[in-house]
Amino acid sequence: MIGNWGRTVGRTAGAARGQSAPVTYGLIALCCLVFVIGPASGLGPAYGTGDELLSAQRAYFERWGVVPVELFQGRPRAAVTPATALFVHGSWLHLLGNMLFLYVFGAMAEERMGHVQFALFYVGCGYLALLGYAAAHADSAQTLVGASGAISAVLGAFLYLFPKARVTSLFPFLFFLPLRFPAWVVLPFWVSLQWLAAGRATQGPGVAYLAHLLGFSAGFLYAWVRYGRPARVKSPAPATEGETQP
């Protein structure tokens, strides 16, 4: 999950009401739909309850998620899982946290890149992030799911393209006092936390911090190579808001 440093409220200068971001909103809708109809939501009576539901969830994640040890055994089906895993989430908090960050940061990135290019960027960088994580844990049988790698790429591109866009954050260690900082302050701070957490992470169940770092790096480098000079952001317009919890 993206949000791992307390509650965060993102507010960006260009994510104004009425902006056209069909890919961003389509991705959010698709991820929500996939989650609701899958066993992880707990809403489908066909999956049963108790142990039966847990078994269905494990089978579902193993089918559509990335299993590193299987990915590098040359199985054709496993090769597509770094793409399918981007649309599968493990819990309501996992889903809502990721979709919040995509909602807040995706619209401006999509507007700058264009709809088709943004869609390819999202899936491509997400695929690379999960593939890189799997390569670093090639002997692991732990299933990896979630859009975090792709959304981290969006954050990386956003940082390069709109470094002065204002982001309002609530910091737990400051009693959740809302403070506004430019993206070049907030997002590197987020990356630093991912880096520190990745150093303490194990191969067991949890957050794939390495996928966050790989996705962020891929997104930032892509924007740097593709667009060169960052875009200028004017004074804040009506903003979008959201809240997430680890």
Side-chain angles (χ1 to χ4, degrees), residues 134-192:
H137 303 86
D139 297 328
S140 174
Q142 180 66 41
T143 306
L144 178 65
V145 297
S148 297
I151 297 172
S152 296
V154 174
L155 299 185
F158 187 95
L159 174 61
Y160 185 80
L161 295 173
F162 308 103
K164 296 182 180 179
R166 308 293 290 185
V167 179
T168 301
S169 300
L170 300 179
F171 294 92
F173 53 84
L174 294 178
F175 304 100
F176 297 102
L177 178 68
L179 299 174
R180 298 194 68 196
F181 296 101
W184 67 265
V185 173
V186 175
L187 293 180
F189 176 69
W190 176 83
V191 171
S192 298

Side-chain angles (χ1 to χ4, degrees), residues 7-26:
R7 296 181 179 180
T8 302
V9 176
R11 192 154 57 183
T12 58
R17 297 183 186 92
Q19 272 191 331
S20 176
V23 175
T24 296
Y25 302 140

Side-chain angles (χ1 to χ4, degrees), residues 5 27 43 57-58 69 75 81 98 121 141 147 157 188 197 205 211 214:
W5 50 290
L27 288 169
L43 300 177
Q57 290 174 350
R58 284 193 296 269
V69 72
R75 300 179 183 179
T81 56
N98 279 343
F121 162 82
L214 292 173

Side-chain angles (χ1 to χ4, degrees), residues 190-201 209 213:
W190 176 83
V191 171
S192 298
L193 292 178
Q194 305 304 298
W195 181 271
L196 293 173
R200 299 193 303 267
Y209 296 106
L213 293 170

Side-chain angles (χ1 to χ4, degrees), residues 106-130:
M108 286 180 69
E110 180 180 348
E111 182 185 23
R112 179 71 173 87
M113 294 182 183
H115 307 316
V116 174
Q117 188 172 155
F118 178 76
L120 296 175
F121 162 82
Y122 181 91
V123 175
C125 287
Y127 188 102
L128 291 176
L130 297 188

